[in-house]
Amino acid sequence: VMRRIPTWLLMISLVFYSTRVWAQPDLVPSVNSWPAELIIGSSEALKLRVANEGDARNEGGFKVEIWLSKDALISGDDFRIASYTETAQMSGGGGVTSDINLDIPSTVPPDSYHMIVEIDVVNWIAESSETNNRLVSLAIQVREGTVEPSGEATTVAVLLPKLSVTPGKLIAVPLIATE
């Protein structure tokens, strides 16, 4: 025997179901100050803020990647200069700020690039908006140059193997500096 459900009950159920909003986090990146230039072979610090603009806590971590790109779109010819997993769990309205070390590899040719910051790269967090997870800088100049040493000078002792040296002749001794 089939029972007939009153139309008014179906309409109330449909309205309730279609207007119910499920709370979700919404992660949004921001950078206060982009570097004006980057030097190939050096490291640069970047302060990245990720805010949860949603109305629910993000449960679990999310992956962050930073790229250099000539055309502001991530593709196979771009250079990833940082990657890490952020483990902070933020309530809605909360946020986390991280100091990221950007390593500019020697394989990056000198040119003008956009820096691209992408958060929740592999979509571990179900968000109310997945369209605001990428941030792109204006053009940043990447150039060759001398990397100024940081910190204080250090005196080192060098042990050389026994050498046969002719007075008045120069000898070449290769040295490798390490930290």
Side-chain angles (χ1 to χ4, degrees):
V1 171
M2 288 185 60
R3 289 187 170 200
R4 193 170 184 110
I5 300 175
T7 307
W8 64 269
L9 184 57
L10 285 174
M11 289 173 54
I12 290 173
S13 297
L14 185 59
V15 168
F16 176 74
Y17 182 76
S18 66
T19 59
R20 184 166 185 166
V21 178
W22 298 100
Q24 288 184 306
D26 184 20
L27 306 180
V28 180
S30 64
V31 172
N32 268 354
S33 179
W34 297 98
E37 70 175 8
L38 298 169
I39 298 175
I40 297 167
S42 71
S43 291
E44 179 79 28
L46 182 75
K47 193 173 286 286
L48 172 66
R49 171 121 177 113
V50 177
N52 180 356
E53 295 182 1
D55 49 9
R57 180 182 185 83
N58 67 297
E59 299 297 334
F62 53 92
K63 190 160 177 81
V64 176
E65 291 183 348
I66 301 177
W67 296 80
L68 288 177
S69 172
K70 289 185 181 181
D71 59 6
L73 300 170
I74 297 173
S75 60
D77 60 345
D78 296 331
F79 300 92
R80 186 171 59 192
I81 56 174
S83 178
Y84 71 98
T85 299
E86 179 60 65
T87 58
Q89 295 186 13
M90 303 164 285
S91 298
V96 63
T97 301
S98 301
D99 290 318
I100 302 164
N101 189 39
L102 307 175
D103 292 318
I104 314 306
S106 59
T107 54
V108 177
D111 207 334
S112 182
Y113 293 88
H114 297 275
M115 192 178 298
I116 302 171
V117 174
E118 188 170 19
I119 61 171
D120 197 22
V121 175
V122 288
N123 293 320
W124 290 339
I125 306 292
E127 299 177 69
S128 58
S129 174
E130 298 287 350
T131 62
N132 56 3
N133 289 357
R134 185 176 288 179
L135 190 61
V136 180
S137 74
L138 295 174
I140 296 173
Q141 207 53 42
V142 175
R143 66 175 180 84
E144 293 177 338
T146 345
V147 179
E148 295 297 323
S150 59
E152 298 177 13
T154 305
T155 303
V156 295
V158 178
L159 297 175
L160 297 175
K162 189 172 184 177
L163 298 173
S164 174
V165 180
T166 306
K169 299 275 184 168
L170 295 175
I171 62 168
V173 180
L175 296 176
I176 299 173
T178 60
E179 289 185 29

